[in-house]
Amino acid sequence: MSVQSETAIDRFLTIVSSFSRELNTARKTLDVYHAIVKVLRRFFDIHSFCVLEQNAQTDWSTIWSDSGFPLSFEELLPFVELAKERRSFSFYPLDEGHLLILPTLKAGRVVSVLMGYLLNDPEEFLRENESVLGFIMFFSGLVLENLRLYQEVLDSATVQEGLKKYFQTMLDSMDEAISVWDESQRLVFTNQSYIRSDPNEKVVGIIKNLVTQSYENRNRNSLEKEIEGHFYSFGTVLLGSPDQVLVSMEDISNTKELERIKKLDQIRTEFVSNISHEFRTPLAAIKAYAETIRDSFSSLDEETGQQFMITILEQSDHLEELLNRLLDFSKLENHTMQLEIENFDLVEQVQEVEQNIQKMLEMYAVSFSIETDLAKAVVSGDRKRINQVIFNFVTNAIKYRDAEKPERWAKVSIEESEEEGKVTLSVIDNGIGIPQECMDKVFEKFYRVDTSLTYTVEGTGLGLAVSKEILDKHHALIMVKSEEGKGSSFSFSLPKAE
């Protein structure tokens, strides 16, 4: 290789290295063109330059022009056509100097042209360095294309970031707690309402179950659930690409409380109406028999008079029972129920209840039994109130019998409690049972399970509420087991008498 060839190669490599360093700092399209001009000025006396860029298929515009550039935009357009035709660098002689035409290509199509006004003759440079211009044109085209792609990515990222902030702001302004979960039940997004709600483990568990259901059935899911005294409404939406589930959660306790108050007012009105009706029946009977005795006292035989007096006495007991219900209701509302603690035998109380329900057992065709291995079960508590609890449980077991079953029964079991020093009493039946969704509500005031017997069985909906209040006063927990169509069991434990 000749010394002259080595010198040309060294010069080419030096130019390439210098041009590459200049391009390393380029962040915009014009930075690339300024780098090109800076390198070219090492070989040409470039007085000024301008850059034209294609905006659309046919529209061109000037994106840079030095103040001393001698040609107007209209005068440059023919040279743009020349660049498009040749798709390579060229020089064009002017009256004074030369015009350098250096196009950049994208997919073989000219997309921009650098025009340089030269004061010297480029022929001498071209004889030795034509390849340098070819490299600059090719390499600058690659860099410009990469810059355009980079700018498109930046613009897209800016748009996406703007959209993300927009949707984040919109979601944060919602009252509903929004969260997004992936298929591994990992939390990938939350809005501010979700963060403020600070859901506990139980709530998060329900959300995760709904997420799993949404992935399994590929559908929307919704749920209303009472959790620790609060009512929540949940809803899910399956998102696509990536496959995620959006869960909305709203605390609807205020709405539910308003519904409950309205329903309670309605039930209270019905309660007053029912009590008024129940008062009227015994009062009418007492009045009728008393008037008969008054008007026919001298002509009544002893047996008839005795029967009339028994009826009046029974109806008076019924009135007393109704008054006691009203008093219990008042004490329940005002939390003023007091206990009179004494020692008494639970077995005797059950036997007393058994005597008082004989007519009811006959009326509803229900058999009754007492099961215990204990001769006595002496406990400590309010005897009258516990008797009332047993009576309420047993009469419910009788009233809510399953009429379709050939054998209908209710029984009371008394046994040593698993908890040391206590006795457990259970009232068990094979009646219609309690639906699972109603189990938490049976002790609410005025609540009656909606069944086919609801409107045929007498009752105010206070019996179980009063019973719970009494047992709460005794610090006794009621255990309820029930299966719809099979029967129910109500149990409680009392401490043995010391």
Side-chain angles (χ1 to χ4, degrees):
M1 184 181 292
S2 65
V3 174
Q4 187 175 5
S5 298
E6 289 181 358
T7 303
I9 291 172
D10 290 343
R11 188 185 303 114
F12 178 77
L13 292 175
T14 300
I15 292 171
V16 168
S17 175
S18 175
F19 188 46
S20 298
R21 283 197 304 272
E22 292 293 337
L23 290 179
N24 277 339
T25 61
R27 293 293 178 269
K28 302 182 221 176
T29 301
L30 281 176
D31 293 340
V32 176
Y33 290 116
H34 281 290
I36 294 171
V37 171
K38 188 173 181 179
V39 171
L40 291 178
R41 275 180 171 153
R42 296 175 61 178
F43 311 102
F44 303 110
D45 185 6
I46 299 179
H47 172 268
S48 54
F49 77 99
C50 74
V51 179
L52 283 76
E53 192 172 70
Q54 190 174 26
N55 299 322
Q57 289 291 335
T58 55
D59 295 333
W60 286 77
S61 63
T62 304
I63 63 170
W64 178 265
S65 179
D66 285 339
S67 58
F69 194 77
L71 301 177
S72 66
F73 173 74
E74 288 75 14
E75 291 173 319
L76 289 174
L77 287 178
F79 297 108
V80 169
E81 294 301 319
L82 180 64
K84 289 166 64 178
E85 180 183 337
R86 293 184 177 180
R87 291 186 295 176
S88 180
F89 68 88
S90 59
F91 293 91
Y92 189 85
L94 301 175
D95 293 339
E96 294 184 12
H98 291 77
L99 183 66
L100 167 63
I101 306 170
L102 188 67
T104 54
L105 286 71
K106 176 182 178 183
R109 183 172 60 87
V110 175
V111 292
S112 64
V113 182
L114 183 147
M115 308 277 192
Y117 177 50
L118 310 182
L119 297 178
N120 60 339
D121 189 347
E123 288 297 327
E124 183 179 347
F125 171 82
L126 285 176
R127 283 195 295 269
E128 297 182 359
N129 300 290
E130 186 174 349
S131 60
V132 172
L133 272 179
F135 167 78
I136 291 174
M137 186 186 79
F138 171 76
F139 194 57
S140 60
L142 291 178
V143 173
L144 285 170
E145 178 59 20
N146 286 335
L147 275 176
R148 287 191 189 96
L149 292 174
Y150 175 70
Q151 190 60 47
E152 287 177 7
V153 170
L154 284 181
D155 291 344
S156 176
T158 302
V159 170
Q160 288 182 8
E161 186 64 26
L163 286 172
K164 180 181 176 182
K165 288 181 179 179
Y166 171 78
F167 286 117
Q168 180 75 57
T169 302
M170 183 176 67
L171 290 169
D172 284 342
S173 68
M174 297 174 66
D175 292 331
E176 292 89 347
I178 303 295
S179 56
V180 177
W181 304 75
D182 66 14
E183 201 162 359
S184 300
Q185 293 189 339
R186 288 180 299 185
L187 188 60
V188 297
F189 172 83
T190 63
N191 70 346
Q192 287 299 314
S193 294
Y194 183 90
I195 296 171
R196 286 193 298 270
S197 70
D198 191 21
N200 58 31
E201 290 183 9
K202 194 168 185 179
V203 173
V204 172
I206 291 171
I207 291 174
K208 287 184 176 180
N209 285 338
L210 284 171
V211 169
T212 301
Q213 289 176 28
S214 293
Y215 278 115
E216 288 176 351
N217 58 31
R218 313 300 296 177
N219 206 347
R220 294 171 178 260
N221 289 279
S222 60
L223 175 70
E224 284 190 5
K225 186 78 172 176
E226 184 180 5
I227 306 170
E228 298 177 358
H230 284 262
F231 284 92
Y232 293 94
S233 174
F234 300 90
T236 68
V237 177
L238 194 63
L239 306 176
S241 187
D243 206 8
Q244 296 173 339
V245 174
L246 181 147
V247 182
S248 64
M249 178 183 74
E250 184 179 8
D251 189 335
I252 56 172
S253 300
N254 292 336
T255 304
K256 286 290 184 181
E257 181 64 17
L258 184 60
E259 291 176 359
R260 192 188 70 81
I261 290 172
K262 288 181 178 178
K263 188 174 182 180
L264 194 60
D265 285 341
Q266 179 184 353
I267 294 172
R268 280 175 175 165
T269 301
E270 292 174 358
F271 170 71
V272 172
S273 176
N274 291 338
I275 284 289
S276 299
H277 176 73
E278 290 194 40
F279 266 116
R280 192 175 293 114
T281 302
L283 280 173
I286 291 170
K287 183 179 180 182
Y289 280 101
E291 286 176 348
T292 302
I293 293 172
R294 181 197 64 187
D295 296 340
S296 309
F297 183 77
S298 57
S299 61
L300 283 177
D301 59 76
E302 185 177 346
E303 185 179 350
T304 304
Q306 187 73 16
Q307 187 61 47
F308 281 9
M309 295 303 292
I310 290 172
T311 302
I312 290 173
L313 183 60
E314 288 176 348
Q315 295 302 319
S316 297
D317 289 339
H318 190 191
L319 273 178
E320 184 180 14
E321 183 187 342
L322 291 173
L323 285 170
N324 287 333
R325 284 194 213 170
L326 284 175
L327 288 172
D328 285 340
F329 171 63
S330 176
K331 291 174 181 178
L332 192 63
E333 287 282 277
N334 299 320
H335 302 286
T336 57
M337 186 179 291
Q338 301 295 323
L339 301 182
E340 296 178 8
I341 304 299
E342 59 180 310
N343 296 338
F344 62 92
D345 184 5
L346 263 182
V347 178
E348 288 182 359
Q349 297 308 306
V350 176
Q351 290 169 345
E352 183 179 318
V353 168
E354 184 180 18
Q355 293 174 6
N356 294 330
I357 61 171
Q358 289 305 311
K359 288 186 177 180
M360 182 180 284
L361 291 171
E362 292 175 9
M363 183 187 305
Y364 291 103
V366 175
S367 63
F368 180 79
S369 61
I370 303 172
E371 295 182 358
T372 182
D373 293 330
L374 306 175
K376 284 191 173 184
V378 181
V379 295
S380 177
D382 188 318
R383 181 181 59 81
K384 290 183 179 179
R385 290 298 184 184
I386 294 300
N387 186 290
Q388 183 180 353
V389 171
I390 299 170
F391 183 83
N392 282 337
F393 287 173
V394 172
T395 52
N396 274 352
I398 296 169
K399 288 188 291 187
Y400 290 98
R401 81 284 180 208
D402 190 340
E404 296 181 1
K405 291 179 180 176
E407 293 184 6
R408 298 177 289 278
W409 52 262
K411 65 181 179 181
V412 175
S413 169
I414 302 173
E415 59 187 353
E416 292 280 351
S417 176
E418 293 180 0
E419 190 176 351
E420 188 176 352
K422 289 190 175 183
V423 176
T424 298
L425 183 146
S426 302
V427 178
I428 309 163
D429 65 67
N430 70 335
I432 60 174
I434 303 169
Q436 196 63 36
E437 64 271 16
C438 300
M439 293 284 283
D440 295 336
K441 302 177 183 178
V442 292
F443 295 106
E444 292 181 5
K445 289 176 290 188
F446 306 115
Y447 184 81
R448 301 182 73 189
V449 178
D450 191 8
T451 70
S452 58
L453 295 177
T454 301
Y455 302 104
T456 60
V457 172
E458 289 185 0
T460 58
L462 284 175
L464 289 179
V466 171
S467 297
K468 185 176 185 303
E469 179 78 6
I470 292 170
L471 292 174
D472 284 347
K473 290 283 185 180
H474 283 82
H475 305 290
L477 181 67
I478 304 177
M479 300 296 293
V480 183
K481 297 178 182 177
S482 188
E483 188 172 349
E484 197 170 4
K486 290 190 176 182
S488 305
S489 169
F490 287 76
S491 305
F492 63 90
S493 299
L494 293 173
K496 292 180 180 178
E498 297 180 357

